[in-house]
Amino acid sequence: QVQLVESGGGLVQAGDSLRLSCAASGLSFSLYAMGWFRQGPGTEREFVSAIHWSGRTNYADSAKGRFTISRDNTKNTVYLQMNSLKPEDTAVYYCAAGAQVVPTTRSYNYWGQGTQVTVSS
């Protein structure tokens, strides 16, 4: 049974930083691409970033220069370091596992339950 468990969300002020973690189990973690998506109130789930098992990364334009994705295959964990947070970053952030570092939700096979990030102005 595959499980992806996100943590690290919270309430912060604009300009602050947060680091999200996603711990995976039940899959060969080192063989999967891992992605982060987010969904704000009344919006569709959107791509944030992804990292291939080889270390190759992909970022949404909104994340470039502020967010950094990384993974630790020894801990079966993927991270999202978020700096210079803005109120528009407020969303539920989801971790996902798939085959490629692509920005489409349908390309990911497994999903976590999400962690709330709220950025106040």
Side-chain angles (χ1 to χ4, degrees):
Q1 179 184 358
V2 176
Q3 281 193 316
L4 302 178
V5 180
E6 302 95 336
S7 61
L11 172 63
V12 296
Q13 293 186 332
D16 286 351
S17 298
L18 276 177
R19 189 176 82 153
L20 305 184
S21 300
C22 171
S25 60
L27 76 170
S28 298
F29 179 80
S30 62
L31 299 181
Y32 278 83
M34 299 299 297
W36 286 99
F37 289 75
R38 67 186 183 186
Q39 188 167 16
T43 67
E44 293 187 354
R45 196 168 296 189
E46 65 175 9
F47 173 74
V48 176
S49 183
I51 184 167
H52 195 252
W53 54 262
S54 65
R56 179 167 52 90
T57 59
N58 190 8
Y59 291 94
D61 288 343
S62 60
K64 289 179 181 176
R66 297 189 301 128
F67 295 1
T68 303
I69 191 170
S70 61
R71 64 190 295 161
D72 185 340
N73 290 339
T74 67
K75 296 182 179 179
N76 287 4
T77 301
V78 61
Y79 305 97
L80 185 68
Q81 177 67 43
M82 305 188 295
N83 298 329
S84 301
L85 283 162
K86 304 174 183 179
E88 50 263 46
D89 294 319
T90 294
V92 177
Y93 283 70
Y94 296 91
C95 170
Q100 298 294 334
V101 288
V102 293
T104 52
T105 57
R106 65 178 182 272
S107 298
Y108 293 82
N109 307 102
Y110 305 106
W111 292 84
Q113 293 300 306
T115 185
Q116 176 71 46
V117 172
T118 303
V119 185
S120 63
S121 58

